[in-house]
Amino acid sequence: MKRVAILGGGPAGAFAAEKLASAGLGVVLMDEKLAWEKPCGGGLTHKAYSQYPFLLNNSTPKRMVTESVLAAPKAGEVTLKLGDPLLIYSRFDLNHMLLERAERAGAQIEKTRVTGMQRQGTGWRLKTAGGSIDADFCIVATGARNPLRDVGTQLTPPDTMSALGYYVQGNQAQIDIQFLPDLEGYIWIFPRCGHLSVGICGKGEPAALLRKRLEAYMAGRGISWKDAAFYSHLLPSLDSKSWKENRVAGEGWMAVGDAAGLVDPITGEGLYYAIRSGDLAAKALIADTAERTLHYRKLIRHDFAADLEFGSRLAKRVFGGRFLFGSVPSRMVQFTRRSPRFSIIMQDLFAGKQPYLGLKRRLLENLNGSLYEIGMSFGFSRLVPRKARA
Ligand SMILES: Cc1cc2nc3c(=O)[nH]c(=O)nc-3n(C[C@H](O)[C@H](O)[C@H](O)COP(=O)(O)OP(=O)(O)OC[C@H]3O[C@@H](n4cnc5c(N)ncnc54)[C@H](O)[C@@H]3O)c2cc1C
């Protein structure tokens, strides 16, 4: 393997480029924009910066958020302390930092659009806006709106969420999350350096309706969107059936990040999976095996894709399910308010420390204790069965 072409220079492509160039491979990364303010909350969980500490330890501006306010219909709101803070970057700054690291590791960075790919023997001829580039292998990192139809995940409408919002003036310490009736998705307010990102994501609902829901919420909170910059983008959120056939690799290529649909189908977290899949693709390419693409599939499956697939089966129940005669989001808010045990589980979910596989078991193991704490918080200790108090 002499030359690897990386198509797209977001977090997935930039990190794969850094890893491959550090291992001594010839790497050319092409992105039509290079660093840019991609519509994104820019939030990185503890799972991301504990595994990749450079995301925390650097001089790039970022915010560290230590609390989140969760709200749901008929349940009011609750403040969730984040023992493991969430880091929030501007996407321009994050992309710039990652591209700089790739360049320092020896990757050649080109600002150009890839317009087509053609197989040439065992390698590729890539058509670009300015000419063509030959490569032995391709890493496809072109994001959720991947224009290269023959490589990467084929996202159908049930595999995506619309995400849109406004960057507005303002400052606040906490993240706000608002669940809404009959929506597989949520509204967020993310404090960023110098402004707020107020947005909504949702599955199965037209963008125009999501925008209406968001504006109604903003009006209700006195947040003006007049003169505010509007953003919208696509968020992969693979349907449970789509994981089985997910096209993450083929002859001479591997897809990483959003181009491979690797996003948490419940929270929309994609930055960690972009960086992680870039890392694993580099590992698979460097590995001493003829079956590199198979190796990559196995690496991502064992590392996180099996968990995301399980998450995709939970998503409908999380947003639209019922528990103890109330909606699941409302119960989540109420339980977090009244049960310290449940609140710790929620904190771990926010931090990415609690996989979806194993969540049900942990919830069940803690159910008696949580119900006891809830009963006690109402002063109903006599009504709680003795067994539950243990
Ligand atoms: C509104 C919104 C909010 C989000 N908030 C969060 C969050 O808070 N935390 C989180 O973890 N995730 C969040 N996500 C998800 C996150 O943004 C993505 O998962 C992440 O950007 C994926 O990185 P990537 O490198 O795979 O793709 P991208 O970041 O999309 O990068 C793809 C790159 O490819 C380039 N490109 C595309 N086509 C071509 C071409 N033909 N030629 C050359 N270059 C090309 C583009 O210019 C782009 O730079 C959010 C997403 C949305 C839409």
Side-chain angles (χ1 to χ4, degrees):
M1 184 92 35
K2 290 190 192 108
R3 194 177 208 212
V4 181
I6 312 239
L7 322 183
F15 200 60
E18 177 187 336
K19 288 288 170 179
L20 290 168
S22 302
L25 272 78
V27 175
V28 55
L29 178 151
M30 289 161 276
D31 192 296
E32 58 185 333
K33 299 187 193 132
L34 293 181
W36 65 294
E37 195 53 57
K38 192 222 153 193
C40 179
L44 281 166
T45 57
H46 174 266
K47 177 172 57 188
Y49 61 79
S50 59
Q51 204 154 357
Y52 300 106
F54 77 85
L55 292 168
L56 183 63
N57 307 318
N58 59 64
S59 57
T60 303
K62 57 191 146 319
R63 287 192 67 154
M64 199 173 259
V65 177
T66 55
E67 57 182 48
S68 175
V69 174
L70 309 178
K74 298 187 190 156
E77 57 180 46
V78 62
T79 299
L80 181 70
K81 294 275 174 215
L82 304 178
D84 300 297
L86 192 83
L87 285 186
I88 299 188
Y89 279 92
S90 112
R91 279 301 302 272
F92 177 87
D93 290 340
L94 179 65
N95 286 23
H96 188 260
M97 175 176 79
L98 292 168
L99 285 167
E100 240 182 24
R101 287 175 62 94
E103 193 163 32
R104 252 185 280 131
Q108 178 191 342
I109 310 285
E110 297 285 340
K111 186 172 182 184
T112 188
R113 179 172 173 81
V114 180
T115 53
M117 349 177 21
Q118 221 172 29
R119 207 72 170 120
Q120 291 252 306
T122 57
W124 294 96
R125 173 149 298 170
L126 302 165
K127 283 197 210 138
T128 68
S132 68
I133 285 183
D134 290 344
D136 299 303
F137 199 91
C138 285
I139 301 278
V140 181
T142 37
R145 289 184 176 150
N146 174 19
L148 306 164
R149 295 272 156 241
D150 298 333
V151 288
T153 301
Q154 289 170 304
L155 292 171
T156 61
D159 297 322
T160 60
M161 280 192 179
S162 293
L164 55 91
Y166 294 96
Y167 297 120
V168 300
Q169 297 291 323
N171 193 10
Q172 63 180 47
Q174 83 284 359
I175 289 171
D176 288 314
I177 303 284
Q178 172 74 53
F179 297 100
L180 299 161
D182 307 317
L183 182 70
E184 192 175 334
Y186 59 91
I187 286 176
W188 67 83
I189 304 181
F190 265 38
R192 313 214 324 173
C193 297
H195 64 275
L196 303 175
S197 165
V198 187
I200 185 168
C201 60
K203 201 168 191 176
E205 189 163 301
L209 284 185
L210 289 174
R211 191 168 177 173
K212 269 199 181 142
R213 287 199 196 235
L214 179 66
E215 289 174 355
Y217 169 82
M218 291 171 79
R221 298 195 41 141
I223 303 171
S224 168
W225 59 92
K226 192 171 172 282
D227 300 328
F230 177 73
Y231 61 81
S232 75
H233 210 277
L234 211 58
L235 196 53
S237 171
L238 294 196
D239 190 67
S240 51
K241 290 179 224 96
S242 305
W243 284 98
K244 296 267 174 293
E245 304 295 318
N246 191 15
R247 210 173 53 169
V248 297
E251 269 301 281
W253 63 270
M254 294 174 196
V256 290
D258 280 15
L262 302 174
V263 174
D264 184 318
I266 298 176
T267 62
E269 178 181 10
L271 289 171
Y272 168 74
Y273 300 106
I275 291 170
R276 185 74 187 140
S277 57
D279 191 359
L280 295 178
K283 279 201 174 84
L285 210 48
I286 296 160
D288 187 15
T289 167
E291 300 281 353
R292 292 192 175 97
T293 52
L294 182 66
H295 188 43
Y296 175 57
R297 278 179 213 279
K298 283 187 181 163
L299 283 178
I300 57 168
R301 175 110 202 124
H302 290 145
D303 202 85
F304 62 79
D307 196 54
L308 295 186
E309 181 180 339
F310 189 72
S312 70
R313 280 189 250 148
L314 290 184
K316 286 209 169 30
R317 268 183 274 165
V318 168
F319 292 109
R322 314 244 339 139
F323 183 69
L324 293 178
F325 312 110
S327 76
V328 169
S330 302
R331 291 291 178 243
M332 245 159 36
V333 168
Q334 289 159 336
F335 278 35
T336 305
R337 185 185 301 130
R338 300 204 171 265
S339 163
R341 281 174 196 242
F342 189 82
S343 169
I344 289 170
I345 298 176
M346 288 297 286
Q347 285 187 42
D348 286 352
L349 278 168
F350 255 74
K353 285 168 142 181
Q354 173 60 58
Y356 294 126
L357 289 159
L359 175 61
K360 188 173 167 191
R361 191 163 153 209
R362 186 168 171 203
L363 286 170
L364 285 175
E365 280 169 3
N366 281 274
L367 185 61
N368 278 349
S370 297
L371 289 175
Y372 173 67
E373 286 170 348
I374 292 163
M376 289 298 282
S377 77
F378 282 112
F380 289 163
S381 62
R382 293 231 192 108
L383 297 181
V384 176
R386 194 185 295 272
K387 217 168 62 182
R389 292 183 219 168

